[in-house]
Amino acid sequence: MRDVVVAVYDGVVLLDAAGPVQVLHGSGGYRIRLASVDGRSVRTDIGVPLGADLALDDVEGPVDTLLVPGYAHPDGDRPGEAFLDLLRDISHRARRVASVCTGALLLAEAGLLDERRATTHWAACADLASRFPRVAVEPDAIYVRDGPVVTSAGVTAGIDLALALVEEDHGPDLARAVAKYLVVFLQRPGGQSQFSVRAAVATPRHPALRRLLDAVAAEPAGEHTLASMAARAAVSERHLTRLFRREVGLTPGQYVERIRVEAAQVLLETSAAGVASVARSCGFGSDETMRRTFLQVLGTTPTAYRQRFHTSHAIPFTE
């Protein structure tokens, strides 16, 4: 039985904690204890109380896994410095440390992600990257392992994370059995950018760049070459590229590509248009170009994406 300590606090997202605990409990291979700063029950983000088994300060000896669930981003209740101090202390005695959703920001505040790759909820990736420049953020990953530290994307991605831990500890057969019982993917296809692209892009400070981003988003199929965008922003191509990298975290071409992917996602979800028509209307030129771009950005093809997310009430579509 591997010892798992789940660090909880007032404001913790209920599913961030409950999802991984359900997976680990279902495997039968873990002793799971919930620990708060004072050992008392905590109030979750939706007001449901969550009991604690002990105080974080009472966690003794070596720990197999320290699991830190997240808080509601950006305005949810967050634990204070005492909680972070206790995380640092337990992390030194833990074989591995894992976080769910915005729990990654708590690990970063505790200094546990310095010089490591990590991910978090898509809506918090820009915040993690800007506040903690020593962390290499991977915004599209469902979960990321860097040495003894594992971070996962938002909310239900904690289930993916826990299944990966079960597979690592007890083998793929047990992990597959748990996933089957819970009716979830053992390893879901694609990354988290399939759920949001534009929302993950930070709002730039430079006014000309803001206007340019709005113009591209308003007309995904328009002419958005580096030269034409630089002319619209009244800056050199080199300076525009620097602005994009610094304030958006993407190159101009990558931003345009992702805006077009987002536009195509909407049409694939809501219309009955053919893939080739969607590709032309979103600026890809051909369905093969769109297919390659989808694989690169989302990790899945347009056809597979439509099969998974298409609504049963398709709207009419005309080019």
Side-chain angles (χ1 to χ4, degrees):
M1 298 290 287
R2 297 173 182 267
D3 190 28
V4 176
V5 173
V6 183
V8 295
Y9 49 90
D10 283 333
V12 67
V13 173
L14 177 59
L15 190 53
D16 279 12
V21 166
Q22 189 73 53
V23 171
L24 298 176
H25 173 77
S27 75
Y30 301 89
R31 180 176 75 132
I32 306 163
R33 294 180 294 167
L34 273 61
S36 64
V37 169
D38 56 10
R40 298 179 181 177
S41 296
V42 298
R43 174 183 44 79
T44 65
D45 64 316
I46 60 173
V48 174
L50 196 61
D53 299 295
L54 75 167
L56 284 165
D57 202 29
D58 292 333
V59 175
E60 298 179 348
V63 172
D64 183 80
T65 304
L66 171 63
L67 179 65
V68 183
Y71 56 90
H73 185 272
D75 300 319
D77 293 340
R78 303 169 60 177
E81 189 61 35
F83 179 87
L84 300 179
D85 286 340
L86 291 165
L87 287 190
R88 294 185 191 99
D89 177 63
I90 298 174
S91 70
H92 297 316
R93 295 180 277 119
R95 180 175 69 90
R96 67 186 169 203
V97 177
S99 68
V100 180
C101 195
T102 50
L105 279 86
L106 300 178
L107 296 188
E109 288 185 42
L112 302 179
L113 293 184
D114 288 352
E115 313 305 332
R116 295 191 184 278
R117 296 178 298 108
T119 193
T120 185
H121 192 292
W122 57 261
C125 281
D127 188 18
L128 178 61
S130 63
R131 289 175 55 200
F132 304 99
R134 296 179 66 184
V135 180
V137 180
E138 298 189 5
D140 191 41
I142 298 297
Y143 57 86
V144 172
R145 176 155 196 163
D146 190 328
V149 180
V150 194
T151 53
S152 72
V155 197
T156 61
I159 295 174
D160 300 79
L161 168 69
L163 286 168
L165 299 184
V166 172
E167 182 173 6
E168 176 184 314
D169 296 339
H170 303 289
D173 290 343
L174 181 57
R176 188 176 298 109
V178 174
K180 184 177 181 180
Y181 182 78
L182 295 178
V183 198
V184 296
F185 285 113
L186 176 58
Q187 184 175 9
R188 75 172 83 183
Q192 64 170 326
S193 62
Q194 63 192 297
F195 304 104
S196 174
V197 175
R198 286 175 58 190
V201 175
T203 301
R205 295 183 295 273
H206 196 290
L209 186 55
R210 285 200 300 270
R211 290 192 296 270
L212 183 59
L213 297 187
D214 291 342
V216 173
E219 191 182 0
E223 183 185 359
H224 303 307
T225 63
L226 179 59
S228 65
M229 288 192 290
R232 269 180 283 172
V235 297
S236 69
E237 294 179 18
R238 180 176 296 179
H239 185 54
L240 181 65
T241 299
R242 284 198 297 266
L243 283 175
F244 263 88
R245 288 191 179 279
R246 185 177 70 223
E247 300 201 31
V248 182
L250 301 168
T251 67
Q254 287 172 332
Y255 177 76
V256 172
E257 187 177 71
R258 296 190 184 194
I259 286 295
R260 287 174 174 168
V261 167
E262 183 182 59
Q265 286 176 274
V266 173
L267 292 179
L268 290 169
E269 292 171 13
T270 61
S271 82
V275 171
S277 295
V278 171
R280 289 193 298 271
S281 69
C282 295
F284 289 105
S286 71
D287 54 346
E288 179 56 30
T289 299
M290 184 168 77
R291 181 180 182 279
R292 289 197 303 269
T293 306
F294 261 59
L295 284 170
Q296 181 179 359
V297 175
L298 301 183
T300 190
T301 65
T303 300
Y305 182 88
R306 168 170 270 171
Q307 289 171 346
R308 291 166 56 206
F309 293 105
H310 184 60
T311 176
S312 59
H313 303 288
I315 61 174
F317 172 83
T318 55
E319 289 190 64

